[in-house]
Every structure is written in structure tokens, then in C-alpha cells.
């Protein structure tokens, strides 16, 4: 796999790995901890060197898993984690990006990740109670102290990104982006290009929908976040099938998979884009990593783009509570 550069000098694999689902979010855990450690380490065999986690995943359990798995290969990987929540009795109770909290989270994450430096430290959600300049300044101090290498934001507005970047350079912004989630395009992506900031799309496969593995009759079990997302209500999945059918047809003509086509489309948008699809299975990691070898013609890209815009998407990507936390 080739590499890409986020911001001013953070070199990562062109496709990363979102690790959240190994601890939460998509129903019951598929295997024991040792199995997940093996899956994480297997990513390196496919050239994946960029791993994404957060203290709130679990909480804490995902960082601990990533730390255990990657400790033997720490010098070969880039680890991103996130701060920004108040966690009490094992649950997130709201936002908290006060400077003292950022420092507490950094120390905890360093311990759980079994490392002496966090490669990329994101604010997970913008906290309206704390000026973004204070957040950026605090992470800047952690960089000066050698505990963090790069500063990032997640689901922030273009205006907030500009204010943060003016205080301390933002290396990467992480937001949901895919063929069926285009929210960053009008304002965020042009801002990132202007400022030289990398972009890290999470859920680049539409939480599984764009792979064709989620059908109109699929049921979501306990603990699966998709059960609470309007876009995954049955009538919306039916309305959104046309895009997946087009991906499937194109994939067959390219001897690839719908997921690889969706990732290849993302990679073609800009060389500073690095998607982080999540999975709990080594074959899926291999498949996603191989998307870098899928060549799409200008006509293919145009057809995908125009189809997605013409069809639109039925259903919001978050429930009202979570939707209110983005774009600040």
C-alpha cells in the first residue's frame, strides 16, 4: 500500500483502520480479546499503518485493546485517539474539553495505549462551553511537551477549523464522508484544501450499507448503533438500494467489490483524504486495503458522483441528539 500525508508531515497508509467496532457499536463481540489482537496485528500485513480509537469507545476498552495489539510494532504504526467527553461510571455524560480534562485524558490514553506519545489527538466533538482557542492551545502545549505529535478535530464546522488552526496547526479533520454522506463538501473540504489540512473520513462504507451486506430485511441486534439511526430504518434502506445496486454492477465490471469501489471513489477525491473503514475481520481489512489498486475512470467517477447526487439519500445519518453535536 502507498502512503499519504495528512497536514504538515503525518505520513500514514492510504487506508487506515477504524477500531471502534472491535469494542462496541455493532452488536455482540464476535470473538475473544486474543482474536481481536490478532486481527489488529494482521492489518500490518496488508500495509495498514494508521489506527483510530478513542477513550470513549468502551469506554477505555478499545484503547486498551489497541495498546496491547500494537505495542510490539509501535514504531511501525500511527495511532490516533480522541478526547472531549465527560465519562462517569463507565458512561459518557456529556462534553468536556476543558484544558485540565484534555490533560487528564492524554495521560490516561498514553497509559492505555502503552506508548509515550499520541501521534494524532483529536477533539472528538466541539464543546461550545470551551473556546476552541483554549482547546488548540492546550493540545499545542502537549505537543511541545512531547506527549502528542499532531492535533485534530472531529465533525467540526469550517469556522471552528479556521479558529483552531490559527491558534495551533490542525493536521487532520475527521468527519463522516462517503458516497451517501456528502455533508463536508460545501464548506469543510474547501477549507481543508485551503489550509493544507488532511481529511479522515469515518464510516466511509456507510456503516456497512455501501458494501451490499445490509439488506432491506436485515435486523439489528442489541448494541448495534444502526438500530437508532434513521437512515437504517427499513423504508429508508429500501429507498437507498439503487446506489448499492449501481456499486455492485460497477464492481463486477472491475472485478472488485462494492466496498472497494466506494473506497476508491473516496481516494480519488483528493490525495489528502485517508478513509478509515472499520471491521473486525482480517479478510475485510485485506479487501479494504486493496481498494488502493482499483482504478476508476473519469467516467466512472462522474457516474458515481452524479448518481449519488441525483438519487439523494433517505434518512438522517444520526438521530436528533447526535446530529446536534456535529458541525459546530
Amino acid at each position: 500500500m502507498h502512503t499519504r500525508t495528512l497536514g504538515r508531515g503525518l505520513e500514514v497508509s492510504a487506508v487506515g483502520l477504524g477500531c471502534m467496532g472491535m469494542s462496541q457499536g455493532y452488536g455482540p463481540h464476535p470473538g475473544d480479546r486474543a482474536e481481536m489482537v490478532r486481527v489488529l496485528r494482521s492489518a500490518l500485513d496488508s500495509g495498514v499503518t494508521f489506527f483510530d480509537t478513542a477513550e470513549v469507545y468502551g469506554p477505555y476498552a478499545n484503547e486498551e485493546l489497541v495498546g496491547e495489539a500494537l505495542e510490539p510494532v509501535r514504531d511501525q504504526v500511527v495511532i490516533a485517539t480522541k478526547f472531549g467527553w465527560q465519562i462517569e461510571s463507565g458512561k459518557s455524560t456529556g462534553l468536556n474539553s476543558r484544558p485540565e480534562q484534555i490533560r487528564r485524558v492524554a495521560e490516561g490514553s498514553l497509559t492505555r495505549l502503552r506508548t509515550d506519545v499520541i501521534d494524532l489527538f483529536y477533539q472528538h466533538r466541539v464543546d461550545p462551553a470551551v473556546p476552541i482557542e483554549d482547546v488548540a492551545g492546550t493540545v499545542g502545549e502537549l505537543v511541545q511537551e512531547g506527549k502528542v505529535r499532531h492535533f485534530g478535530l472531529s465533525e467540526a464546522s469550517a469556522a471552528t477549523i479556521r479558529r483552531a488552526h490559527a491558534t495551533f496547526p490542525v493536521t487532520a479533520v475527521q468527519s463522516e464522508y462517503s458516497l451517501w454522506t456528502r455533508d463536508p463538501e460545501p464548506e469543510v473540504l474547501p477549507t481543508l484544501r485551503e489550509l493544507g489540512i488532511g481529511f479522515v473520513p469515518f464510516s466511509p462504507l456507510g456503516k456497512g450499507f455501501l458494501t451490499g451486506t445490509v439488506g432491506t430485511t436485515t435486523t439489528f441486534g442489541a448494541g448495534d448503533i444502526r438500530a437508532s439511526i434513521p437512515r437504517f430504518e427499513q423504508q429508508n434502506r429500501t429507498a437507498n438500494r439503487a446506489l448499492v445496486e449501481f456499486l455492485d454492477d460497477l464492481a463486477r465490471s472491475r472485478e472488485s467489490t462494492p466496498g472497494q469501489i466506494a473506497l476508491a471513489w473516496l481516494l480519488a477525491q483528493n490525495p489528502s483524504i485517508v478513509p478509515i473503514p472499520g471491521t473486525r475481520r482480517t479478510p475485510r481489512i485485506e479487501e479494504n486495503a486493496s481498494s488502493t489498486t482499483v482504478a476508476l475512470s473519469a467516467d466512472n467517477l462522474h457516474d458515481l458522483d452524479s448518481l449519488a447526487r441525483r438519487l439523494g439519500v433517505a434518512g438522517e445519518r444520526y438521530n436528533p441528539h447526535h446530529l446536534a453535536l456535529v458541525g459546530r
Side-chain angles (χ1 to χ4, degrees):
M1 184 187 295
H2 62 278
T3 61
R4 292 189 165 192
T5 300
L6 298 173
R8 302 177 183 179
L10 182 59
E11 186 174 299
V12 297
S13 54
V15 174
L17 177 61
C19 303
M20 182 191 78
M22 294 181 174
S23 299
Q24 68 169 59
Y26 293 94
H29 197 285
D32 61 19
R33 185 184 183 90
E35 179 185 353
M36 292 299 97
V37 167
R38 286 193 295 272
V39 171
L40 277 162
R41 290 179 183 167
S42 74
L44 275 173
D45 297 330
S46 296
V48 175
T49 62
F50 186 34
F51 297 81
D52 181 89
T53 183
E55 63 150 359
V56 78
Y57 299 159
Y60 310 129
N62 198 244
E63 283 188 325
E64 292 169 349
L65 173 65
V66 170
E68 178 183 346
L70 300 183
E71 184 179 24
V73 293
R74 181 65 184 95
D75 60 341
Q76 302 175 49
V77 300
V78 172
I79 299 176
T81 192
K82 311 177 195 73
F83 64 87
W85 301 97
Q86 180 71 35
I87 299 174
E88 298 174 352
S89 301
K91 293 183 179 180
S92 169
T93 59
L95 298 172
N96 185 351
S97 280
R98 294 192 303 271
E100 61 272 22
Q101 174 71 359
I102 295 172
R103 287 187 167 276
R104 280 196 294 268
V105 174
E107 295 298 335
S109 293
L110 286 167
T111 298
R112 289 185 290 272
L113 292 169
R114 305 187 187 188
T115 186
D116 57 1
V117 63
I118 297 166
D119 295 308
L120 178 55
F121 204 30
Y122 293 102
Q123 183 187 38
H124 208 154
R125 291 293 184 273
V126 174
D127 185 348
V130 182
I132 195 63
E133 291 81 1
D134 292 352
V135 174
T138 302
V139 177
E141 291 170 359
L142 291 169
V143 172
Q144 292 173 354
E145 295 165 15
K147 296 179 180 180
V148 169
R149 289 197 172 106
H150 296 270
F151 172 41
L153 297 171
S154 179
E155 294 278 29
S157 69
T160 297
I161 294 166
R162 289 184 181 279
R163 288 171 53 201
H165 192 68
T167 301
F168 188 82
V170 177
T171 292
V173 169
Q174 179 180 127
S175 294
E176 184 171 358
Y177 185 46
S178 67
L179 275 166
W180 79 338
T181 299
R182 313 294 284 273
D183 306 41
E185 291 182 342
E187 296 183 1
V188 170
L189 290 181
T191 298
L192 301 185
R193 287 193 292 269
E194 176 190 338
L195 299 177
I197 298 170
F199 187 57
V200 179
F202 68 80
S203 297
L205 299 176
K207 296 180 173 63
F209 190 79
L210 298 179
T211 67
T213 59
V214 178
T216 55
T217 60
T218 300
T219 58
F220 302 113
D224 194 316
I225 56 175
R226 292 171 291 189
S228 66
I229 296 176
R231 191 166 291 181
F232 283 91
E233 293 172 2
Q234 186 175 30
Q235 67 271 24
N236 290 332
R237 279 182 274 154
T238 299
N240 293 325
R241 282 298 300 173
L243 178 58
V244 177
E245 291 168 0
F246 184 86
L247 283 171
D248 191 50
D249 289 341
L250 181 56
R252 281 197 295 270
S253 73
R254 292 290 180 177
E255 298 184 342
S256 59
T257 67
Q260 288 175 326
I261 296 294
L263 290 173
W265 175 85
L266 266 178
L267 291 166
Q269 299 308 298
N270 193 285
S272 64
I273 288 179
V274 179
I276 50 168
T279 183
R280 298 185 287 200
R281 296 169 178 83
T282 294
R284 286 293 189 192
I285 293 175
E286 296 169 346
E287 176 186 326
N288 294 338
S290 294
S291 64
T292 60
T293 67
V294 176
L296 297 178
S297 69
D299 286 344
N300 294 151
L301 294 170
H302 177 268
D303 289 346
L304 284 166
D305 191 59
S306 60
L307 178 69
R309 292 180 186 279
R310 186 172 71 251
L311 293 176
V313 179
E316 294 284 1
R317 67 186 180 101
Y318 280 138
N319 62 34
H321 170 70
H322 288 103
L323 203 59
L325 297 175
V326 306
R328 288 172 165 173

